[in-house]
Amino acid sequence: MSVSPRPIGVFDSGVGGLSVLRHIRTVLPGEDLLYVADSAHAPYGMKSVAFIEARALAISSFLVAQDAKALVVACNTATAAAIVGLRARFDLPVIGMEPAVKPAVDATRSGVIGVLATGGTLESARFAELVQRFGSQARVVVQPCPGLVEQVEAGDLSGPATRALLSAFVAPLLAQGADTLVLGCTHYPFLQPLLRELVGEQVALIETGAAVARQLSRRIAETDFQPVRSAGTEKFFSSGERQHLEALLPQLWGHAAPVKCLTGG
Ligand code: DGL
């Protein structure tokens, strides 16, 4: 197994991918991580596939130019739009995210699962395929959540406006008998405490970050694993106002860190 100081590149439309980065840091404490928030273009939610593909390609090219040994598309929407193209373009492991329909289908007792995600994810061919594969075992009720990503981007994880939005999105799912909710957007795990308060203890909440971190770990173990020597480092980049991400890092990442402007992306 070779020892390599090359970093892992992770990106999202904004701060949502930090929920995935946290899992990656737990599973891979010795790896150096690069994180790009495409905040100048968030939310991706209902942007065109061509636009998201172009952004994913530009950001991935930036990360590869930083010598990334693997890419994590820490965004369900960008995965749905762009992962096929990224895998064709870059000769390195490219890990994506998709709503956890299969684990939810396995977990439900009522036979109804609810999927919270962006319109872009829910309308994608990849999602349709996922439902086709596993949806025969349970009823899959979907709920696009316009406005929710913006609340997380604003750092409002529990205020009245966020509460009102989330509660309106969840109510129809519960009314249709869902006992298992899939958090199909990487911004939503940050709303988990509020969501738990709204739905109570009986409803299962399922997200994909931990599974993606384990998958990444398996993939790089095949090639470029960084044994734990000391703590790995993190570098943060933003295509938007770097102060915006700097202000949110203590809340969403756990501590402050400097943010650089994304150049060439
Ligand atoms: N965090 C993203 C996702 O997982 C994208 C949200 C957005 O930008 O609309 O889908």
Side-chain angles (χ1 to χ4, degrees):
M1 199 178 287
S2 70
V3 174
S4 162
R6 296 170 69 202
I8 294 166
V10 182
F11 73 92
D12 176 49
S13 62
V15 296
L18 293 170
S19 70
V20 183
L21 201 71
R22 291 171 78 135
H23 286 290
I24 294 174
R25 175 48 77 225
T26 304
V27 172
L28 296 166
E31 297 289 341
D32 293 338
L33 306 175
L34 307 176
Y35 183 85
V36 175
D38 195 14
S39 300
H41 304 100
Y44 283 172
M46 283 312 291
K47 296 221 164 66
S48 73
V49 168
F51 180 85
I52 298 170
E53 274 178 329
R55 292 307 306 154
L57 184 60
I59 295 166
S60 299
S61 301
F62 168 79
L63 290 167
V64 169
Q66 307 296 305
D67 206 23
K69 63 184 175 188
L71 297 175
V72 179
V73 186
C75 174
N76 294 263
T77 315
T79 299
I83 199 149
V84 172
L86 296 180
R87 286 186 174 140
R89 175 71 176 261
F90 299 106
D91 184 21
L92 74 185
V94 182
I95 316 295
M97 323 255 335
E98 64 187 15
V101 171
K102 182 180 184 312
V105 164
D106 291 342
T108 181
R109 287 155 287 122
S110 70
V112 184
I113 71 163
V115 182
L116 300 155
T118 67
T121 297
L122 297 174
E123 287 166 20
S124 69
R126 279 181 86 84
F127 184 73
E129 209 179 287
L130 201 58
V131 173
Q132 203 172 17
R133 255 174 47 223
F134 303 109
S136 60
Q137 300 154 51
R139 190 162 151 244
V140 180
V141 187
V142 302
Q143 178 62 59
C145 304
L148 213 47
V149 163
E150 287 88 332
Q151 294 303 112
V152 177
E153 288 290 322
D156 182 351
L157 305 184
S158 58
T162 306
R163 180 179 289 265
L165 265 180
L166 193 55
S167 133
F169 292 140
V170 161
L173 302 177
L174 300 183
Q176 290 176 80
D179 68 346
T180 305
L181 299 182
V182 175
L183 309 188
C185 167
T186 55
H187 283 72
Y188 304 165
F190 290 120
L191 300 170
Q192 204 151 324
L194 176 60
L195 193 52
R196 176 58 69 208
E197 211 185 290
L198 292 171
V199 302
E201 292 302 322
Q202 299 309 314
V203 173
L205 304 176
I206 301 192
E207 56 135 329
T208 332
V212 164
R214 286 193 301 272
Q215 165 72 355
L216 170 68
S217 170
R218 279 192 293 272
R219 291 297 305 277
I220 61 171
E222 293 161 10
T223 50
D224 259 327
F225 188 59
Q226 182 66 55
V228 183
R229 15 106 200 178
S230 54
T233 62
E234 301 97 27
K235 284 191 188 140
F236 297 94
F237 301 86
S238 173
S239 64
E241 290 279 325
R242 61 178 180 74
Q243 294 86 345
H244 172 76
L245 182 56
E246 274 171 359
L248 287 172
L249 281 175
Q251 186 184 14
L252 302 182
W253 173 245
H255 53 84
V259 176
K260 290 193 175 132
C261 286
L262 184 69
T263 49

